[in-house]
Amino acid sequence: MTLKLEAGTKLVAATHNPGKAKELHALLDGRFEVLTAGSLNIPEPDETETTFVGNALLKARHAADLSGQIALADDSGLSVTVLDGAPGIYSARWAGPEKDFRMAMDKVAERIEETGSEDRSAWFTCALAVAWPNGGPAVVVQGEVHGTLIFPPRGDRGFGYDPIFIPDGYDQTFGEMDPAAKDAMSHRAVAFEKLKAALFD
Ligand code: ITT
């Protein structure tokens, strides 16, 4: 069986994060009729899996089954080398219920300081899953972008941990960069290219 997403297909973007939703809309680029999880009153599921891929699939299946439509979900996060990959799948949770990313970025800085290491390397991961409703098939891909962390945070564009992350080969943080430049090479863009190749190229 070949899975293909035809242009114009209705697709539920299964995210409650407005920063992500904006980037996913830019990547989907008018190709699909995008419905949002919020407008369909789809609640946020508990992210009980232990990997980005597992949580992306869980979120896509949840939204597809509740909406009866094909759903696209994103699970992503920042991993710090000297913190053994933390916060990783807990990236959103480090910001607490208030979603306070200034606090989360301070926590990353403190934890790195505590190690005594000079290593500031880190990477973002994005898993994207597309699931068909009613226990139908699913496709999941993953992309990464590597870079260096800088403190204090710089720039007010983007979302989440963007102001402390400088991708390799650039001198601005994701928080300072033009959003189109981020969308051309981010972990989300890399994952999206793989999804396109699998489902709609
Ligand atoms: P949904 O599950 O509703 O999509 P969420 O924010 O809970 O929203 P995740 O569980 O995937 O999503 O958490 C990912 C967190 O990692 C997110 O809240 C950001 O703080 C961070 N993150 C992911 N991609 C990022 C990016 O491109 N730039 C900055 N931070 C990012």
Side-chain angles (χ1 to χ4, degrees), residues 82-134:
V82 292
L83 301 182
D84 297 326
I89 62 163
Y90 301 104
S91 293
R93 282 165 267 190
W94 275 33
E98 305 294 323
K99 301 193 192 306
D100 182 348
F101 282 95
R102 287 284 144 175
M103 179 191 79
M105 290 187 283
D106 283 349
K107 189 164 162 180
V108 171
E110 275 163 31
R111 294 284 173 89
I112 293 174
E113 282 296 322
E114 281 163 18
T115 67
S117 169
E118 297 293 314
D119 183 353
R120 296 288 178 270
S121 63
W123 68 99
F124 273 118
T125 302
C126 173
L128 290 175
V130 173
W132 273 252
N134 308 316

Side-chain angles (χ1 to χ4, degrees), residues 77-79 122-126 143-146 161-162 165 174 187:
L78 176 73
S79 295
W123 68 99
F124 273 118
T125 302
C126 173
E144 284 105 31
V145 63
H146 288 260
Y161 298 89
D162 279 342
F165 185 82
F174 271 166
H187 47 311

Side-chain angles (χ1 to χ4, degrees), residues 13-21 23-24 37 44-45 47 52 55-56 59 72-78 87-93 95 99 101 104 124-127 145 157-163 165 174-175 182-183 186-188:
T15 178
H16 291 79
N17 177 327
K20 256 190 204 179
E23 290 188 10
L24 289 174
E44 266 183 87
E47 296 182 18
F52 292 110
N55 279 327
K59 289 190 264 189
L72 167 70
D74 167 311
D75 198 65
S76 43
L78 176 73
I89 62 163
Y90 301 104
S91 293
R93 282 165 267 190
K99 301 193 192 306
F101 282 95
F124 273 118
T125 302
C126 173
V145 63
R157 295 170 127 174
F159 66 99
Y161 298 89
D162 279 342
F165 185 82
F174 271 166
K182 179 185 174 192
D183 287 346
S186 72
H187 47 311
R188 197 157 285 108

